[in-house]
Amino acid sequence: MISANETVSSNLKRIRQERNLTLDDLAVLTGVSKSMLSEIERCTKSPTLSVLEKICRGINIPLVQLTYFETPQVSVITNDTVKH
């Protein structure tokens, strides 16, 4: 199971890259230091709720966009549905 920190880490990095922002750009927009943002993206630091709030406010996204984990689709195949 993926941790909350891993989810935030991957979502933050994806959003930053989709917007073509550098860590420097993100630091300016959010007021969070470049080193802190880097540590969050590398999943070596756990952000506080207030840091997450600054990030979300700075890039104008709801908190759920950083914390959302998409569960992959799973199909169950039983012996009855498999042709032998």
Side-chain angles (χ1 to χ4, degrees):
M1 182 171 193
I2 190 167
S3 73
N5 285 342
E6 290 169 318
T7 299
V8 168
S9 169
S10 63
N11 285 337
L12 179 59
K13 187 171 187 174
R14 178 185 47 77
I15 292 166
R16 180 178 62 78
Q17 290 174 339
E18 286 173 354
R19 295 180 181 201
N20 295 314
L21 297 171
T22 65
L23 284 171
D24 285 321
D25 296 334
L26 190 58
V28 169
L29 289 172
T30 62
V32 176
S33 72
K34 178 182 171 180
S35 62
M36 172 62 91
L37 293 168
S38 176
E39 288 176 314
I40 293 168
E41 284 192 3
R42 288 181 285 122
C43 207
T44 59
K45 193 89 165 189
S46 299
T48 63
L49 190 54
S50 63
V51 168
L52 292 176
E53 188 177 52
K54 283 182 177 182
I55 293 169
C56 291
R57 215 177 309 122
I59 57 177
N60 197 29
I61 62 168
L63 180 60
V64 70
Q65 269 191 270
L66 288 181
T67 59
Y68 178 75
F69 174 72
E70 188 170 342
T71 307
Q73 293 286 342
V74 176
S75 298
V76 177
I77 300 174
T78 65
N79 285 335
D80 296 340
T81 59
V82 177
K83 294 184 180 184
H84 297 283

Coordinates of all heavy atoms in Angstrom, one line a residue:
M1 N 0.8 -1.2 0.0 CA 0.0 0.0 0.0 C 0.9 1.2 0.0 O 1.9 1.3 0.7 CB -0.9 0.0 1.2 CG -1.8 1.1 1.3 SD -3.0 0.8 2.6 CE -4.2 2.0 2.3
I2 N 0.5 2.2 -0.8 CA 1.3 3.5 -0.9 C 1.0 4.4 0.3 O -0.2 4.5 0.7 CB 1.0 4.1 -2.2 CG1 2.0 5.3 -2.5 CG2 -0.4 4.6 -2.4 CD1 2.0 5.8 -3.9
S3 N 2.0 5.0 0.8 CA 1.8 5.9 2.0 C 1.3 7.2 1.6 O 1.4 7.6 0.4 CB 3.1 6.1 2.7 OG 4.0 6.9 2.0
A4 N 0.8 8.0 2.5 CA 0.3 9.3 2.3 C 1.4 10.2 1.8 O 1.2 11.0 0.8 CB -0.4 9.9 3.5
N5 N 2.6 10.1 2.3 CA 3.7 10.9 1.9 C 4.1 10.6 0.4 O 4.4 11.5 -0.3 CB 4.9 10.7 2.8 CG 4.8 11.4 4.1 OD1 4.0 12.3 4.3 ND2 5.6 10.9 5.1
E6 N 4.1 9.3 0.1 CA 4.4 8.9 -1.3 C 3.3 9.5 -2.3 O 3.6 9.9 -3.4 CB 4.4 7.4 -1.4 CG 5.6 6.8 -0.8 CD 5.6 5.3 -0.7 OE1 4.5 4.7 -0.4 OE2 6.6 4.6 -0.9
T7 N 2.1 9.5 -1.9 CA 1.0 10.0 -2.7 C 1.2 11.5 -2.9 O 1.1 12.0 -4.1 CB -0.4 9.8 -2.0 OG1 -0.6 8.4 -1.9 CG2 -1.5 10.4 -2.9
V8 N 1.4 12.3 -1.8 CA 1.7 13.7 -1.9 C 2.9 14.0 -2.8 O 2.9 14.8 -3.7 CB 1.8 14.3 -0.6 CG1 2.3 15.8 -0.7 CG2 0.5 14.3 0.2
S9 N 3.9 13.2 -2.6 CA 5.2 13.4 -3.3 C 5.0 13.2 -4.8 O 5.4 14.1 -5.6 CB 6.2 12.3 -2.8 OG 7.3 12.3 -3.7
S10 N 4.4 12.1 -5.2 CA 4.2 11.9 -6.7 C 3.2 12.9 -7.3 O 3.4 13.3 -8.4 CB 3.8 10.4 -6.9 OG 2.5 10.2 -6.3
N11 N 2.1 13.2 -6.5 CA 1.2 14.2 -7.1 C 1.8 15.6 -7.2 O 1.6 16.2 -8.2 CB -0.1 14.3 -6.2 CG -1.0 13.1 -6.4 OD1 -0.9 12.4 -7.4 ND2 -1.8 12.8 -5.4
L12 N 2.6 16.0 -6.2 CA 3.2 17.3 -6.3 C 4.2 17.4 -7.5 O 4.1 18.3 -8.3 CB 3.9 17.7 -5.0 CG 4.7 19.0 -5.0 CD1 3.7 20.2 -5.2 CD2 5.4 19.2 -3.7
K13 N 5.0 16.4 -7.6 CA 5.9 16.4 -8.7 C 5.2 16.4 -10.1 O 5.6 17.1 -11.0 CB 6.9 15.2 -8.6 CG 8.0 15.2 -9.6 CD 9.0 14.1 -9.3 CE 10.2 14.2 -10.2 NZ 11.3 13.3 -9.9
R14 N 4.2 15.5 -10.2 CA 3.4 15.5 -11.5 C 2.8 16.8 -11.8 O 2.9 17.3 -13.0 CB 2.3 14.4 -11.4 CG 1.5 14.3 -12.6 CD 0.3 13.3 -12.4 NE -0.4 13.4 -11.2 CZ -1.3 14.3 -10.9 NH1 -1.6 15.3 -11.9 NH2 -1.9 14.4 -9.8
I15 N 2.2 17.4 -10.8 CA 1.5 18.7 -11.1 C 2.5 19.8 -11.5 O 2.3 20.6 -12.4 CB 0.7 19.2 -9.8 CG1 -0.5 18.2 -9.6 CG2 0.2 20.6 -10.0 CD1 -1.2 18.4 -8.3
R16 N 3.7 19.8 -10.7 CA 4.7 20.8 -11.1 C 5.2 20.6 -12.5 O 5.4 21.6 -13.2 CB 5.9 20.7 -10.1 CG 7.0 21.6 -10.3 CD 8.1 21.5 -9.3 NE 8.8 20.2 -9.3 CZ 9.7 19.9 -10.2 NH1 10.0 20.6 -11.2 NH2 10.3 18.7 -10.1
Q17 N 5.5 19.4 -12.9 CA 6.0 19.1 -14.2 C 4.9 19.4 -15.3 O 5.3 19.9 -16.4 CB 6.5 17.6 -14.3 CG 7.7 17.4 -13.5 CD 8.2 16.0 -13.5 OE1 7.4 15.0 -13.7 NE2 9.4 15.8 -13.1
E18 N 3.7 19.1 -15.0 CA 2.6 19.4 -16.0 C 2.5 20.9 -16.3 O 2.1 21.3 -17.3 CB 1.3 18.9 -15.5 CG 1.1 17.4 -15.6 CD -0.2 16.9 -14.9 OE1 -0.9 17.7 -14.2 OE2 -0.5 15.7 -15.0
R19 N 2.8 21.7 -15.2 CA 2.7 23.1 -15.4 C 4.1 23.7 -15.8 O 4.2 24.9 -15.8 CB 2.3 23.7 -14.1 CG 0.9 23.3 -13.7 CD 0.4 23.9 -12.4 NE -0.9 23.5 -12.1 CZ -1.7 24.2 -11.3 NH1 -1.3 25.3 -10.7 NH2 -2.9 23.7 -11.0
N20 N 5.0 22.9 -16.1 CA 6.4 23.3 -16.5 C 7.0 24.3 -15.5 O 7.6 25.3 -15.9 CB 6.4 23.9 -17.9 CG 6.0 22.9 -19.0 OD1 6.5 21.8 -19.0 ND2 5.0 23.3 -19.8
L21 N 6.9 23.9 -14.2 CA 7.5 24.8 -13.2 C 8.7 24.1 -12.6 O 8.8 22.9 -12.5 CB 6.5 24.9 -12.0 CG 5.1 25.6 -12.3 CD1 4.2 25.4 -11.1 CD2 5.4 27.1 -12.6
T22 N 9.7 24.9 -12.4 CA 10.9 24.4 -11.7 C 10.6 24.5 -10.2 O 9.6 25.1 -9.7 CB 12.1 25.3 -12.0 OG1 11.9 26.6 -11.4 CG2 12.4 25.4 -13.5
L23 N 11.5 23.9 -9.4 CA 11.4 24.0 -8.0 C 11.5 25.4 -7.5 O 10.8 25.8 -6.6 CB 12.4 23.1 -7.3 CG 12.1 21.6 -7.3 CD1 13.3 20.8 -6.7 CD2 10.9 21.3 -6.4
D24 N 12.4 26.2 -8.2 CA 12.5 27.6 -7.9 C 11.1 28.3 -8.1 O 10.7 29.1 -7.3 CB 13.6 28.3 -8.7 CG 15.0 27.9 -8.3 OD1 15.2 27.8 -7.0 OD2 15.8 27.7 -9.1
D25 N 10.5 28.0 -9.3 CA 9.2 28.7 -9.6 C 8.2 28.3 -8.5 O 7.4 29.2 -8.0 CB 8.7 28.2 -10.9 CG 9.5 28.5 -12.1 OD1 10.3 29.6 -12.1 OD2 9.5 27.8 -13.1
L26 N 8.2 27.0 -8.1 CA 7.2 26.6 -7.2 C 7.4 27.2 -5.8 O 6.5 27.6 -5.1 CB 7.2 25.0 -7.0 CG 6.1 24.4 -6.2 CD1 4.8 24.7 -6.8 CD2 6.4 22.9 -6.2
A27 N 8.7 27.4 -5.5 CA 9.0 28.1 -4.2 C 8.5 29.5 -4.2 O 8.0 30.0 -3.1 CB 10.5 28.0 -4.0
V28 N 8.7 30.2 -5.3 CA 8.2 31.6 -5.3 C 6.7 31.7 -5.2 O 6.2 32.5 -4.5 CB 8.7 32.3 -6.7 CG1 8.0 33.6 -6.9 CG2 10.2 32.4 -6.6
L29 N 6.0 30.8 -5.9 CA 4.6 30.8 -5.9 C 4.0 30.4 -4.6 O 2.9 31.0 -4.2 CB 4.0 29.8 -7.0 CG 4.2 30.2 -8.4 CD1 3.8 29.0 -9.3 CD2 3.3 31.4 -8.8
T30 N 4.6 29.5 -3.8 CA 4.0 29.0 -2.6 C 4.6 29.6 -1.3 O 3.9 29.4 -0.3 CB 4.3 27.4 -2.6 OG1 5.7 27.2 -2.5 CG2 3.6 26.8 -3.8
G31 N 5.8 30.1 -1.4 CA 6.4 30.6 -0.2 C 7.0 29.5 0.7 O 7.4 29.7 1.8
V32 N 7.1 28.3 0.1 CA 7.8 27.2 0.7 C 9.2 27.1 0.1 O 9.3 27.2 -1.1 CB 7.0 25.9 0.5 CG1 7.7 24.7 1.0 CG2 5.6 26.0 1.0
S33 N 10.2 26.8 0.9 CA 11.6 26.8 0.4 C 11.8 25.7 -0.7 O 11.1 24.6 -0.6 CB 12.6 26.6 1.5 OG 12.5 25.3 2.0
K34 N 12.7 26.0 -1.6 CA 13.0 25.0 -2.6 C 13.5 23.7 -2.0 O 13.1 22.6 -2.5 CB 14.1 25.6 -3.5 CG 14.6 24.7 -4.6 CD 15.7 25.4 -5.4 CE 16.4 24.4 -6.3 NZ 17.4 25.1 -7.1
S35 N 14.3 23.8 -0.9 CA 14.8 22.6 -0.3 C 13.7 21.7 0.3 O 13.7 20.5 0.2 CB 15.9 22.9 0.7 OG 15.4 23.7 1.8
M36 N 12.7 22.4 0.9 CA 11.6 21.7 1.5 C 10.8 21.0 0.4 O 10.4 19.9 0.5 CB 10.7 22.6 2.3 CG 9.4 22.0 2.8 SD 9.6 20.6 3.9 CE 9.6 21.4 5.4
L37 N 10.5 21.7 -0.7 CA 9.7 21.2 -1.8 C 10.5 20.0 -2.4 O 9.9 19.0 -2.7 CB 9.5 22.2 -2.9 CG 8.6 23.4 -2.5 CD1 8.7 24.5 -3.5 CD2 7.1 22.9 -2.3
S38 N 11.8 20.1 -2.5 CA 12.6 19.0 -3.1 C 12.5 17.8 -2.1 O 12.3 16.6 -2.6 CB 14.0 19.4 -3.2 OG 14.8 18.3 -3.6
E39 N 12.6 18.0 -0.8 CA 12.5 16.9 0.1 C 11.1 16.2 0.1 O 11.0 15.0 0.2 CB 12.8 17.4 1.5 CG 14.2 17.7 1.7 CD 14.6 18.3 3.1 OE1 13.8 19.2 3.5 OE2 15.5 17.8 3.7
I40 N 10.1 17.0 -0.1 CA 8.7 16.5 -0.2 C 8.6 15.6 -1.5 O 8.1 14.5 -1.4 CB 7.6 17.6 -0.2 CG1 7.6 18.3 1.1 CG2 6.2 17.0 -0.6 CD1 6.8 19.6 1.1
E41 N 9.1 16.1 -2.6 CA 9.0 15.4 -3.8 C 9.8 14.1 -3.8 O 9.5 13.1 -4.4 CB 9.5 16.2 -5.0 CG 8.5 17.2 -5.5 CD 8.8 17.9 -6.8 OE1 9.8 17.5 -7.4 OE2 8.1 18.8 -7.2
R42 N 10.9 14.1 -3.1 CA 11.8 12.9 -2.9 C 11.3 12.0 -1.8 O 11.8 10.9 -1.6 CB 13.2 13.3 -2.7 CG 13.9 13.9 -3.9 CD 15.4 14.2 -3.7 NE 15.5 15.4 -2.9 CZ 16.1 15.5 -1.7 NH1 16.7 14.5 -1.2 NH2 16.2 16.6 -1.0
C43 N 10.2 12.4 -1.1 CA 9.6 11.7 -0.1 C 10.6 11.4 1.1 O 10.5 10.4 1.8 CB 9.1 10.3 -0.6 SG 7.7 9.7 0.3
T44 N 11.4 12.4 1.4 CA 12.3 12.3 2.5 C 11.9 13.2 3.7 O 12.5 13.2 4.7 CB 13.8 12.7 2.1 OG1 13.8 14.0 1.6 CG2 14.3 11.8 1.1
K45 N 10.8 14.0 3.4 CA 10.3 14.9 4.5 C 8.8 14.8 4.4 O 8.2 14.8 3.3 CB 10.8 16.3 4.2 CG 10.5 17.3 5.3 CD 11.8 17.3 6.1 CE 11.7 18.5 7.1 NZ 13.0 18.7 7.8
S46 N 8.2 14.8 5.6 CA 6.7 14.8 5.7 C 6.2 16.2 5.8 O 6.5 16.9 6.8 CB 6.2 14.0 6.9 OG 6.7 12.7 6.8
P47 N 5.4 16.7 4.9 CA 5.0 18.1 5.0 C 3.9 18.2 6.1 O 3.1 17.3 6.3 CB 4.4 18.4 3.6 CG 4.0 17.1 3.1 CD 5.0 16.1 3.7
T48 N 3.9 19.3 6.8 CA 2.8 19.6 7.7 C 1.6 20.1 6.9 O 1.7 20.4 5.7 CB 3.2 20.8 8.7 OG1 3.4 22.0 7.9 CG2 4.5 20.4 9.5
L49 N 0.5 20.1 7.6 CA -0.7 20.6 7.0 C -0.6 22.0 6.5 O -1.1 22.4 5.5 CB -1.9 20.4 7.9 CG -3.3 20.6 7.4 CD1 -3.5 19.7 6.1 CD2 -4.4 20.3 8.4
S50 N 0.1 22.8 7.3 CA 0.2 24.2 6.9 C 1.1 24.4 5.7 O 0.9 25.3 4.8 CB 0.8 25.1 8.1 OG 2.1 24.7 8.4
V51 N 2.1 23.5 5.5 CA 2.9 23.5 4.3 C 2.1 23.1 3.1 O 2.1 23.7 2.0 CB 4.2 22.7 4.5 CG1 4.9 22.4 3.1 CG2 5.1 23.3 5.4
L52 N 1.3 22.1 3.3 CA 0.4 21.6 2.2 C -0.6 22.7 1.8 O -0.9 22.9 0.6 CB -0.4 20.3 2.6 CG 0.5 19.1 2.8 CD1 -0.4 17.9 3.3 CD2 1.2 18.7 1.5
E53 N -1.1 23.4 2.8 CA -2.0 24.5 2.6 C -1.3 25.6 1.7 O -1.9 26.2 0.8 CB -2.5 25.1 3.9 CG -3.6 26.1 3.8 CD -4.1 26.5 5.2 OE1 -3.2 26.9 6.0 OE2 -5.3 26.5 5.4
K54 N -0.1 26.0 2.1 CA 0.7 27.0 1.3 C 0.9 26.6 -0.1 O 0.7 27.3 -1.1 CB 2.1 27.2 1.9 CG 2.1 28.1 3.2 CD 3.5 28.2 3.6 CE 3.6 29.1 4.8 NZ 5.0 29.3 5.2
I55 N 1.2 25.3 -0.3 CA 1.4 24.8 -1.7 C 0.1 24.9 -2.5 O 0.1 25.4 -3.6 CB 1.9 23.3 -1.6 CG1 3.3 23.3 -1.0 CG2 1.9 22.7 -3.0 CD1 3.8 21.9 -0.7
C56 N -0.9 24.4 -1.9 CA -2.2 24.4 -2.6 C -2.7 25.8 -2.9 O -3.2 26.1 -4.0 CB -3.3 23.7 -1.7 SG -3.0 21.9 -1.6
R57 N -2.5 26.7 -2.0 CA -2.9 28.1 -2.2 C -2.0 28.8 -3.3 O -2.5 29.4 -4.2 CB -2.8 28.9 -0.9 CG -3.8 30.0 -0.8 CD -3.8 30.8 0.5 NE -3.7 30.0 1.7 CZ -2.8 30.0 2.6 NH1 -1.8 30.9 2.5 NH2 -2.8 29.3 3.7
G58 N -0.7 28.4 -3.3 CA 0.2 29.0 -4.2 C 0.0 28.6 -5.7 O 0.2 29.3 -6.6
I59 N -0.5 27.3 -5.9 CA -0.7 26.8 -7.2 C -2.2 26.7 -7.5 O -2.6 26.1 -8.5 CB 0.1 25.5 -7.5 CG1 -0.2 24.4 -6.5 CG2 1.6 25.8 -7.6 CD1 0.5 23.1 -6.8
N60 N -3.0 27.2 -6.6 CA -4.5 27.2 -6.8 C -5.1 25.9 -7.1 O -5.7 25.7 -8.1 CB -4.8 28.2 -7.9 CG -6.2 28.6 -7.9 OD1 -6.9 28.6 -6.9 ND2 -6.8 29.0 -9.1
I61 N -4.9 24.9 -6.2 CA -5.5 23.6 -6.3 C -6.1 23.2 -4.9 O -5.6 23.7 -3.9 CB -4.5 22.5 -6.7 CG1 -3.4 22.3 -5.7 CG2 -3.9 22.7 -8.1 CD1 -2.5 21.1 -5.8
P62 N -7.1 22.4 -4.9 CA -7.7 21.9 -3.7 C -6.7 20.9 -3.1 O -6.0 20.2 -3.8 CB -9.0 21.3 -4.1 CG -8.9 20.9 -5.5 CD -7.9 21.9 -6.1
L63 N -6.7 20.7 -1.8 CA -5.9 19.8 -1.1 C -6.0 18.4 -1.6 O -5.1 17.6 -1.7 CB -6.1 19.8 0.4 CG -5.3 18.9 1.3 CD1 -3.8 19.2 1.1 CD2 -5.7 19.0 2.7
V64 N -7.2 18.0 -2.0 CA -7.5 16.7 -2.5 C -6.6 16.3 -3.7 O -6.3 15.1 -3.9 CB -9.0 16.4 -2.8 CG1 -9.4 17.2 -4.0 CG2 -9.3 15.0 -2.9
Q65 N -6.2 17.3 -4.5 CA -5.4 17.0 -5.7 C -4.0 16.5 -5.2 O -3.4 15.8 -6.0 CB -5.2 18.2 -6.6 CG -6.3 18.3 -7.6 CD -6.0 19.3 -8.7 OE1 -6.4 20.5 -8.5 NE2 -5.2 19.0 -9.7
L66 N -3.5 16.9 -4.1 CA -2.2 16.4 -3.6 C -2.4 15.1 -2.9 O -1.4 14.3 -2.8 CB -1.6 17.4 -2.6 CG -1.0 18.7 -3.3 CD1 -0.4 19.5 -2.2 CD2 0.0 18.3 -4.3
T67 N -3.5 14.8 -2.3 CA -3.7 13.6 -1.5 C -4.4 12.5 -2.2 O -4.6 11.4 -1.6 CB -4.5 14.0 -0.2 OG1 -5.7 14.5 -0.5 CG2 -3.7 15.0 0.7
Y68 N -4.9 12.7 -3.4 CA -5.7 11.7 -4.1 C -4.8 10.6 -4.6 O -3.8 10.8 -5.3 CB -6.5 12.4 -5.2 CG -7.3 11.4 -6.1 CD1 -8.5 10.9 -5.6 CD2 -6.8 11.0 -7.3 CE1 -9.2 10.0 -6.3 CE2 -7.6 10.1 -8.1 CZ -8.8 9.6 -7.5 OH -9.5 8.7 -8.3
F69 N -5.2 9.4 -4.3 CA -4.5 8.2 -4.8 C -5.5 7.4 -5.7 O -6.6 7.0 -5.2 CB -4.0 7.3 -3.7 CG -3.4 6.0 -4.2 CD1 -2.2 6.0 -4.8 CD2 -4.1 4.8 -3.9 CE1 -1.7 4.8 -5.2 CE2 -3.6 3.6 -4.4 CZ -2.4 3.6 -5.0
E70 N -5.2 7.2 -7.0 CA -6.1 6.5 -7.8 C -5.9 5.0 -7.7 O -4.8 4.5 -7.9 CB -5.9 6.9 -9.3 CG -6.9 6.4 -10.2 CD -6.8 7.0 -11.6 OE1 -6.2 8.0 -11.8 OE2 -7.4 6.3 -12.5
T71 N -6.9 4.3 -7.3 CA -6.8 2.9 -7.2 C -7.0 2.2 -8.6 O -7.9 2.5 -9.3 CB -8.0 2.3 -6.3 OG1 -7.9 3.1 -5.1 CG2 -7.8 0.9 -6.0
P72 N -6.0 1.4 -8.9 CA -6.1 0.7 -10.2 C -7.3 -0.2 -10.4 O -7.8 -0.7 -9.4 CB -4.8 -0.1 -10.4 CG -4.2 0.0 -9.0 CD -4.9 1.0 -8.2
Q73 N -7.9 -0.3 -11.6 CA -9.0 -1.2 -11.8 C -8.5 -2.6 -11.7 O -7.5 -3.0 -12.1 CB -9.6 -1.0 -13.2 CG -10.2 0.4 -13.4 CD -11.6 0.5 -12.8 OE1 -12.2 -0.5 -12.4 NE2 -12.0 1.7 -12.6
V74 N -9.4 -3.4 -11.0 CA -9.0 -4.8 -10.8 C -10.2 -5.7 -11.4 O -11.3 -5.4 -11.2 CB -8.8 -5.1 -9.3 CG1 -8.6 -6.6 -9.1 CG2 -7.7 -4.3 -8.7
S75 N -9.8 -6.7 -12.2 CA -10.8 -7.6 -12.7 C -10.6 -9.0 -12.0 O -9.4 -9.4 -11.9 CB -10.6 -7.8 -14.2 OG -10.9 -6.6 -14.8
V76 N -11.7 -9.6 -11.6 CA -11.6 -10.9 -11.0 C -12.1 -11.9 -12.0 O -13.1 -11.8 -12.6 CB -12.5 -11.0 -9.7 CG1 -12.5 -12.4 -9.1 CG2 -12.0 -10.0 -8.7
I77 N -11.2 -12.9 -12.2 CA -11.5 -14.0 -13.2 C -11.7 -15.3 -12.4 O -10.8 -15.7 -11.6 CB -10.4 -14.1 -14.3 CG1 -10.3 -12.8 -15.0 CG2 -10.7 -15.3 -15.2 CD1 -9.1 -12.9 -16.0
T78 N -12.8 -15.9 -12.6 CA -13.1 -17.1 -11.9 C -12.9 -18.3 -12.9 O -12.9 -18.1 -14.1 CB -14.5 -17.2 -11.3 OG1 -15.5 -17.1 -12.4 CG2 -14.8 -16.0 -10.3
N79 N -12.9 -19.5 -12.3 CA -12.7 -20.7 -13.2 C -13.9 -20.8 -14.2 O -13.8 -21.3 -15.3 CB -12.6 -21.9 -12.4 CG -11.3 -22.1 -11.8 OD1 -10.3 -21.5 -12.3 ND2 -11.2 -22.8 -10.6
D80 N -15.1 -20.3 -13.8 CA -16.3 -20.4 -14.6 C -16.1 -19.5 -15.9 O -16.8 -19.8 -16.9 CB -17.5 -19.9 -13.8 CG -17.8 -20.9 -12.6 OD1 -17.3 -22.0 -12.7 OD2 -18.5 -20.4 -11.7
T81 N -15.4 -18.4 -15.8 CA -15.3 -17.5 -16.9 C -14.1 -17.8 -17.8 O -14.0 -17.2 -18.9 CB -15.2 -16.0 -16.4 OG1 -14.1 -15.9 -15.6 CG2 -16.5 -15.6 -15.7
V82 N -13.2 -18.7 -17.4 CA -12.1 -19.1 -18.2 C -12.4 -20.2 -19.1 O -12.9 -21.3 -18.7 CB -10.9 -19.4 -17.3 CG1 -9.7 -19.8 -18.2 CG2 -10.5 -18.2 -16.4
K83 N -12.1 -20.1 -20.4 CA -12.3 -21.2 -21.3 C -11.1 -22.2 -21.3 O -10.0 -21.7 -21.4 CB -12.5 -20.7 -22.8 CG -13.8 -19.9 -22.9 CD -14.0 -19.5 -24.3 CE -15.3 -18.7 -24.5 NZ -15.6 -18.4 -25.8
H84 N -11.4 -23.4 -21.2 CA -10.3 -24.4 -21.1 C -10.0 -25.0 -22.4 O -10.7 -25.3 -23.3 CB -10.6 -25.5 -20.1 CG -10.7 -24.9 -18.7 ND1 -9.6 -24.5 -17.9 CD2 -11.8 -24.6 -17.9 CE1 -10.0 -24.1 -16.8 NE2 -11.3 -24.1 -16.7

